[in-house]
Amino acid sequence: MASWVVSECSLRPFTAVKIHHKPRPSLPSNTINAFKFKPLPCSAFKVPTLWSKGRNLGGLGLLNVSAPLKVTITSEEDKGKEESTTDGVNNGEFDPGAAPPFKLSDIKAAIPKHCWVKDPWRSMSYVVRDVVVVFGLAAVAAYFKNWFVWPLYWIAQGTMFWALFVLGHDCGHGSFSNNPALNSVAGHLLHSSILVPYHGWRISHRTHHQNHGHVENDESWHPLSEKIYKSLDNATRLLRFTLPFPMLAYPIYLWSRSPGKKGSHFHPDSDLFVPNERKDIITSTACWTAMVGLLAYLSFAMGPMPLLKLYGIPYAIFVMWLDLVTYLHHHGHDEKLPWYRGKEWSYLRGGLTTLDRDYGWINNIHHDIGTHVIHHLFPQIPHYHLIEATEAAKPVLGKYYREPKKSGPLPFYLLGILIKSMRKDHYVSDIGDVVYYQTDPQLYGTNK
């Protein structure tokens, strides 16, 4: 329907172009509400025939525009204030890509002060508990040595290796204690025992947290851009999205990172690190090498098959746990979640795309790593306070917090979510600052 545009000389008819409030995969989202506007000539604006409730600028309801609006951020403080004016609801629908109506400081203020307190004795008690269980399981399996016990042992021990990793992960974040030396020693012992280079992983994981939800800059399970996806050969694509291969990717990632990125977690001159981190990387690689040497010695002392049963297969189970958990904390929600780049990305908006998961009985075993949203926003909070902190933050987060589906005693339901995501979440557009996963219908040789 024709409407009117103000010209410098007169009024002239113009066909309105609607702004899509719900973000599309290749378009920036909510740039109208997220930023302050610079004045433009009169010819830039359409005179509306209707008012837009709660969305006006200088008395004009912005239902339609005839030219792109020029936007600018005057300061980080102003940006936070602008973000707080939107409610994330467009046309009655919640828009997960919209800037939230709260700031990071609002969430932090809602979390009780004692949740930030780190107790090194309590942290060490979890280490002692897990180490005792690991050696106890190994002793039981070695004692019985039968094929009824071995599969049960592999699953249980692999899960305990994953629990050790989570404690080392807390050391890397500094949530284990306020003592950097204790964090480093405990982290090296825990991670080296399961063939993880402590400092190398700690630094890359820090990069992941600092850039969570960013298409290009995120480090862990970030989406492939359409260009990179299409540059991969068919075999690589299939391996990346066909189970169980993605669940065995972690050791490969440690050596060569993700497609489109270069570097190794073991090499001090890797693109992952800055020059003043060289000594840390050399130290961690030396500890990792020492563990490999110990395993080589044990393979000669006790034979390769016993070592494979006692350590090798549990290690593979641990890798599956790690890849499963880290993937599903950023993928697989029923509602498509946004990924950001450019000016649309912020630490808060990126962190709000993470997901909590319920693991049933495993929650306590792997130290409540499923409470992932608050952990991603505030990694300094110890794992034993994450549940309380999450409950306190929920009223502030509102619809930006997605309540996890309740698990049975064992989280078998996650396998269905994983399979569905692998079939659908393949790449994101090269264009746009707010993008969503797209599906390659020809990946498995069929058009759907």
Side-chain angles (χ1 to χ4, degrees), residues 177-193:
S177 77
N178 287 319
N179 187 329
L182 175 61
N183 293 339
S184 183
V185 171
H188 273 96
L189 291 173
L190 290 164
H191 275 189
S192 298
S193 68

Side-chain angles (χ1 to χ4, degrees), residues 261-318:
K261 299 193 176 188
K262 297 180 180 180
S264 167
H265 288 73
F266 300 93
H267 200 293
D269 295 325
S270 171
D271 292 343
L272 278 165
F273 316 121
V274 296
N276 64 4
E277 293 168 337
R278 281 181 55 88
K279 290 183 179 179
D280 287 342
I281 305 308
I282 292 172
T283 300
S284 294
T285 301
C287 291
W288 182 91
T289 303
M291 183 62 191
V292 171
L294 175 62
L295 292 173
Y297 167 77
L298 291 175
S299 70
F300 284 105
M302 61 192 304
M305 283 305 295
L307 183 64
L308 178 67
K309 293 176 183 177
L310 286 170
Y311 185 91
I313 297 178
Y315 172 79
I317 300 295
F318 146 66

Side-chain angles (χ1 to χ4, degrees), residues 149 177 183 326 440:
V149 172
S177 77
N183 293 339
T326 54
D440 178 4

Side-chain angles (χ1 to χ4, degrees), residues 10-30:
S10 61
L11 295 174
R12 58 186 174 84
F14 181 79
T15 303
V17 179
K18 298 282 186 180
I19 287 183
H20 295 276
H21 293 293
K22 188 170 183 178
R24 292 180 175 181
S26 62
L27 294 176
S29 166
N30 277 357

Side-chain angles (χ1 to χ4, degrees), residues 392-406:
K394 282 182 183 180
V396 178
L397 296 173
K399 290 185 178 180
Y400 287 88
Y401 179 79
R402 297 149 190 102
E403 197 72 40
K405 179 180 178 180
K406 292 299 180 184

Side-chain angles (χ1 to χ4, degrees), residues 122-123 125-127 129-130 133 159-160 162-164 166-167 170 321 357-371 383-387 407-411:
R122 185 170 182 179
S123 296
S125 73
Y126 288 109
V127 173
R129 182 195 77 174
D130 288 358
V133 173
T159 304
M160 291 310 303
W162 164 236
L164 294 179
V166 174
L167 292 176
D170 288 358
W321 264 117
R357 298 289 187 186
D358 182 23
Y359 297 91
W361 289 346
I362 310 298
N363 286 328
N364 180 263
I365 295 173
H366 68 189
H367 309 292
D368 293 313
I369 195 64
T371 47
H383 74 264
Y384 40 84
H385 291 318
L386 284 174
I387 293 177
S407 173
L410 298 175

